[in-house]
């Protein structure tokens, strides 16, 4: 099954970021175009192959941007996919580091609590003992949050960019056959 994204442009150059001085095949896509493409792709079933049809004025079919359209779009989304996977690796490494720190801090708080309980029977120090337990578990919040919730959206984004990097891109002349 294939799901199509359609773009209708007044000029093929609308697809590319105008301030980027790189050659067209290395240019970033326009942020508005990317937002539209990504938004449409998110709305489509995730188990379908994607394709994109880009319609632009017929007189622009000979422009280099039109000739290398698929390579430029694929290259852009491959780059975004790579960035997302890198972000995920960084997030998980940060989670492992914060888990180690959190576990050490929780162990220190637990030992301090045990020491206070063994050293005195003063009922007024019970609130410090409970406070140490609470503070120790609060220190575990960040790693727990990272491993339970924070990595899923990044993985989902990387997979989406991967799907977009593999999609076929068909340039089409306005009111005419494919370019």
């Amino acid at each position: 099954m294939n799901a199509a994204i359609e773009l209708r442009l007044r000029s093929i150059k609308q697809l590319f970021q105008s301030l980027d001085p790189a050659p067209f095949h290395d240019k970033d896509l326009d942020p508005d175009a990317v937002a539209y493409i990504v938004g449409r792709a998110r709305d489509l079933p995730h188990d379908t192959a994607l394709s994109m049809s880009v319609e632009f004025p017929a007189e622009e079919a000979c422009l280099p941007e039109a000739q290398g359209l698929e390579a430029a779009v694929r290259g852009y989304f491959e780059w975004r996919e790579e960035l997302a996977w890198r972000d995920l690796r960084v997030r998980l490494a940060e989670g492992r580091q914060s888990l180690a720190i959190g576990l050490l801090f929780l162990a220190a708080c637990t030992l301090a609590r045990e020491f206070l309980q063994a050293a005195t029977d003063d009922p007024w120090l019970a609130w410090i003992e409970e406070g140490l337990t609470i503070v120790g578990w609060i220190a575990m919040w960040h790693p727990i949050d990272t491993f339970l919730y924070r990595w899923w959206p990044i993985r989902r984004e990387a997979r989406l960019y991967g799907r977009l990097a593999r999609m076929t891109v068909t340039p089409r002349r306005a009111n005419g056959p494919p370019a």
Side-chain angles (χ1 to χ4, degrees):
M1 192 165 143
N2 197 353
I5 299 170
E6 295 184 11
L7 284 176
R8 289 186 181 85
L9 306 173
R10 292 183 306 278
S11 169
I12 190 73
K13 293 182 181 193
Q14 279 182 281
L15 190 57
F16 298 97
Q17 190 166 20
S18 61
L19 299 177
D20 190 350
F24 79 90
H25 57 316
D26 291 332
K27 278 186 172 229
D28 283 344
L29 298 183
D30 182 78
D32 292 334
V34 171
Y36 176 79
I37 294 166
V38 169
R40 288 287 299 132
R42 279 191 180 121
D43 292 341
L44 298 170
H46 69 277
D47 58 346
T48 60
L50 298 175
S51 66
M52 185 168 73
S53 172
V54 182
E55 185 178 296
F56 51 88
E59 60 271 10
E60 294 186 0
C62 60
L63 292 175
E65 288 91 341
Q67 300 300 315
L69 186 61
E70 184 169 32
V73 170
R74 284 183 176 214
Y76 177 80
F77 286 112
E78 285 170 355
W79 172 69
R80 292 290 300 264
E81 178 186 20
E82 181 183 323
L83 288 179
W85 285 119
R86 187 178 320 146
D87 188 30
L88 180 60
R89 284 190 302 275
V90 167
R91 177 66 57 109
L92 292 175
E94 178 186 289
R96 287 188 297 274
Q97 183 181 19
S98 61
L99 178 62
I101 292 167
L103 286 171
L104 286 172
F105 188 74
L106 178 60
C109 288
T110 303
L111 286 173
R113 179 182 179 183
E114 293 299 319
F115 176 74
L116 282 175
Q117 283 178 336
T120 182
D121 288 334
D122 187 354
W124 292 102
L125 291 180
W127 62 275
I128 293 176
E129 295 167 5
E130 289 303 314
L132 286 169
T133 301
I134 293 168
V135 168
W137 281 107
I138 288 173
M140 292 297 295
W141 173 253
H142 183 69
I144 291 170
D145 182 53
T146 297
F147 290 123
L148 287 181
Y149 305 111
R150 299 293 175 189
W151 68 278
W152 287 96
I154 301 169
R155 179 177 172 262
R156 188 178 318 119
E157 181 180 87
R159 290 177 134 190
L160 177 62
Y161 288 141
R163 286 179 60 216
L164 289 166
R166 291 185 302 276
M167 77 179 161
T168 58
V169 179
T170 306
R172 299 186 63 79
R173 296 179 189 141
N175 300 324

